Amino acid sequence: MVVAGDNGFETVVRTAVNDQLEIYPNSTLKDLYKNFFQDKFGPGHLIADTTAAGNYLRRELASMTVSDGLMAEPTGWEGNFVRVNLLAIKDGFIPYDLFFDAFVRSVNSIQPVSIAAWQQEWEQIEAVIASMDLNLPGYATDKKEIDERLHAGEYVGHHSERFETSYSPRYRIISRHIFETEILPLLPSTCTR
């Protein structure tokens, strides 16, 4: 569990926030929440049905014309997972089967946490974000919406419409260990952060 007032925690949260805002300056609090949420929960909320997840990925790849962002970027403050841009498949660096298998196996690397524990951690993360005086658009509205969802027992976050419109994100979450051992060696060194 995170300890409030822990300088190391605050430093890594600030770094994660600054990294996201450097790559995606049109991020909102919802987008920062999603980044930290993905670091804690990985892709588990996306894979209730592997056949459906595979079909959705193939449709997304077929319709994809652009995807902004890096080829790979760590999530959150712990870096448990990596967002891997679907361009890795589209541009022929990673075979589809290897990518999809890594995505599905990443669910197994998740250390389950309760929504209450996540809510407490998020409150500490959000306090650090608030102290940064970032003037994020719609901050109060996003904070209220996130707090209400968490109090209702819902933890899944989504990108803001502003983010979706600005960046056309197309990625999947892969565990850091799987990424480093199986995906990263296949990517050109200029593609990662």
Side-chain angles (χ1 to χ4, degrees):
M1 175 44 65
V2 179
V3 178
D6 179 345
N7 245 357
F9 169 75
E10 184 173 331
T11 299
V12 293
V13 167
R14 284 177 175 271
T15 298
V17 169
N18 286 329
D19 286 350
Q20 170 143 345
L21 292 175
E22 180 183 326
I23 301 166
Y24 308 107
N26 287 330
S27 293
T28 68
L29 184 63
K30 283 183 182 180
D31 304 305
L32 293 173
Y33 175 89
K34 183 169 179 89
N35 188 347
F36 288 98
F37 155 78
Q38 288 173 328
D39 190 42
K40 188 58 67 176
F41 293 95
H45 68 289
L46 293 174
I47 309 184
D49 176 347
T50 56
T51 301
N55 290 337
Y56 184 78
L57 176 58
R58 287 188 187 280
R59 282 192 309 273
E60 192 171 356
L61 284 165
S63 68
M64 191 172 145
T65 58
V66 67
S67 179
D68 292 331
L70 300 174
M71 191 67 74
E73 59 193 87
T75 58
W77 69 277
E78 294 176 296
N80 293 315
F81 294 89
V82 177
R83 289 177 174 170
V84 183
N85 196 313
L86 296 185
L87 286 176
I89 301 170
K90 194 87 169 168
D91 290 350
F93 297 122
I94 310 297
Y96 172 88
D97 291 339
L98 172 68
F99 187 95
F100 187 70
D101 181 62
F103 171 59
V104 171
R105 285 185 294 121
S106 293
V107 173
N108 297 329
S109 66
I110 298 169
Q111 300 295 320
V113 297
S114 69
I115 292 176
W118 166 240
Q119 182 175 6
Q120 183 178 13
E121 184 174 328
W122 169 249
E123 288 169 359
Q124 293 174 346
I125 293 167
E126 192 277 325
V128 173
I129 295 168
S131 76
M132 295 173 73
D133 294 322
L134 298 171
N135 296 315
L136 297 170
Y139 189 93
T141 303
D142 285 357
K143 182 179 181 332
K144 183 176 187 268
E145 182 183 317
I146 292 165
D147 290 346
E148 287 173 353
R149 272 200 334 267
L150 287 170
H151 286 294
E154 300 170 16
Y155 60 87
V156 176
H158 302 285
H159 282 301
S160 67
E161 186 175 316
R162 175 185 168 108
F163 190 95
E164 291 279 350
T165 301
S166 297
Y167 306 113
S168 301
R170 301 289 177 260
Y171 61 81
R172 291 297 183 273
I173 304 299
I174 308 285
S175 88
R176 181 178 62 201
H177 174 73
I178 294 171
F179 172 78
E180 289 174 352
T181 58
E182 299 175 30
I183 304 291
L184 182 60
L186 301 175
L187 294 175
S189 61
T190 57
C191 288
T192 60
R193 186 171 180 90

